[in-house]
Amino acid sequence: MRNQGTISIQPFDMVLFGGTGDLVMRKLLPALYHQHQDGCLPEAGRILCLGRSQPDQDAYLAMAKKAAQQYLGEYFNDQDWGGFAGRIVYLKLDAQDKAAYAALADKLNELPEHVRVFYLATAPDLFAGICENLASVGLNKGGSRVVLEKPLGHDLASSQAINAQVGRYFKESQIYRIDHYLGKEAVQNLLALRFGNTLFEPLWRREWIRDVQITVTEQVGVEGRGDFYDKAGALRDMVQNHLLQLLCMVAMEPPASIDPDAVRDEKLKILRALRPFSAQDVATKTVRGQYRSGATAGKPVIGYQDESGIAQASRTETFVAMKAEIDTWRWAGVPFYLRTGKRMQERLAEIVINFREVPHSIFAMPPESQTANRLVIRLQPEESVKLYLLAKQPGDRMKLRSVHLDLDFDETFKTRRLDAYERLLMDVIRGQLTLFMRRDELDEAWKWVEPILDNWEQSDDTPKTYTAGTWGPAASSALLSRDGFCWHEEG
Ligand code: BG6
């Protein structure tokens, strides 16, 4: 079924730096194609793809078509592709060559009324130069927007340096820092669930919530990105951005409106209230792991150390579990357990809210599950919300059993599921900043993870190994069992 483009989108020029790269081929062009196919893009919307490796427009389109067939699957058809390809303009351009920007400016100045979006799908060390070059031909003016892909730095200092350099040429209101997890439908549904209903908000606090678990696990390994990943690791790659953003969405106070700064101010307060980790905390409240060979999805896979691009005896973590705490009246004493890893048993992304037990049970027979009420918001592989309750098991005895109310979005709405990038790209064109990270959020997130990174770096310990295709090192379960809990899938 086609989605309806209800809000009209202004004519735009979307300029994709890194136009021949993996992100553009795998995510950005397919996202724009879907929106084109659904009739949501204005006639005049153009996509300018910049790169060096393809000689001309024909060669670029041939490359893009091949990738589109691969990544769009059943949605690809020649007719829609023909129309979509008519929007694409390829410019052979070296992003570091200042002189080349005159040609880009000429192309864009053909249609001065268009919204201009510059999407920097390149290595972050090119961001400053690109922004400077854009400014040198006046392309940072007016309605221009710049989109920055992660990783935005390696630590607080490098992130601040990138932001300061970009900030020299673009105002904060023109800068869209992408965290694609915020574009996932289920994450926005969390906002709807919390702030569109009266049911949960009164219970959304320490008096009623026992613990929160945020899990994002993948079956894939480093997928040819060994060089990058080995210098990053799971804490930088996933926790500093995606998991912390999910935590903010769960924990933030109700914003006064959905306006970008109203939401981002509330997220920032949570990041500032995260309890800092001391050296002792790092030792007791974090677990890092690294996969060794094993099997995922029924196929044997090699260990991390044998992947290409990985340094000898690398100590990079491919798994992290940790206990975070938020020092506010609402959350004091409620642990937020975070967990992410590659080469895990399942691809799973979910937020689990475990409510407290009843203060006094009148039933002689204890239920099978000690947790009476649990809300599970699933982001992946399917999108769903499940609310677990205790009900009486049919029969002549008063035995309680856990059952759940189930909202399956695919089933309920029967509409194509938008990829996160589709939503976010359309938001950039609309000028809607709510789902993008503000500079101060990024700073706070780095400030919080840095002591962990530093402690790991200085420690003689190595990450605990785990067999590929499992739920990670045993220490991850022990982290929760010490508090009397267990991870949701094991419960
Ligand atoms: C990216 C990370 O930000 O998110 C990758 O760099 C990871 O390592 C990916 O695989 C996961 O995204 P998703 O949407 O597939 O869960």
Side-chain angles (χ1 to χ4, degrees), residues 345-359:
Q345 185 158 327
E346 276 174 33
R347 174 171 182 253
L348 176 74
E350 67 177 21
I351 299 168
V352 178
I353 315 286
N354 284 317
F355 290 90
R356 292 191 188 279
E357 287 154 40
V358 291

Side-chain angles (χ1 to χ4, degrees), residues 41 49 74 167 172 188 206 208 237 247 258 261 310 320 332 358 426 447 463 477:
L41 298 186
C49 301
E74 57 177 313
E172 182 63 25
Q188 289 152 58
R206 63 189 300 279
W208 303 107
D237 189 43
L247 176 144
I258 195 79
D261 282 336
I310 308 304
V320 181
V358 291
M426 298 308 273
K447 276 185 208 158
S477 307

Side-chain angles (χ1 to χ4, degrees), residues 27 150 180-181 184 216 218 220-221 223 225 228-229 237-238 241-242 342 347 349 380:
K27 290 285 183 189
K150 70 178 270 276
H180 78 280
Y181 265 64
K184 292 190 190 262
V216 181
E218 302 180 272
V220 292
E223 291 188 293
R225 295 157 75 220
F228 156 75
Y229 193 87
D237 189 43
M238 297 294 289
N241 35 69
H242 306 324
K342 292 205 180 280
R347 174 171 182 253
Q380 281 163 189

Side-chain angles (χ1 to χ4, degrees), residues 379-396:
L379 286 64
Q380 281 163 189
E382 78 283 355
E383 287 171 347
S384 64
V385 175
K386 283 195 174 104
L387 179 62
Y388 289 78
L389 306 163
L390 287 181
K392 182 189 165 298
Q393 197 169 318
D396 62 348

Side-chain angles (χ1 to χ4, degrees), residues 418-431:
L418 258 65
D419 184 78
Y421 278 98
E422 275 181 67
R423 165 74 201 246
L424 295 175
L425 283 172
M426 298 308 273
D427 275 359
V428 181
I429 299 170
R430 285 190 200 103

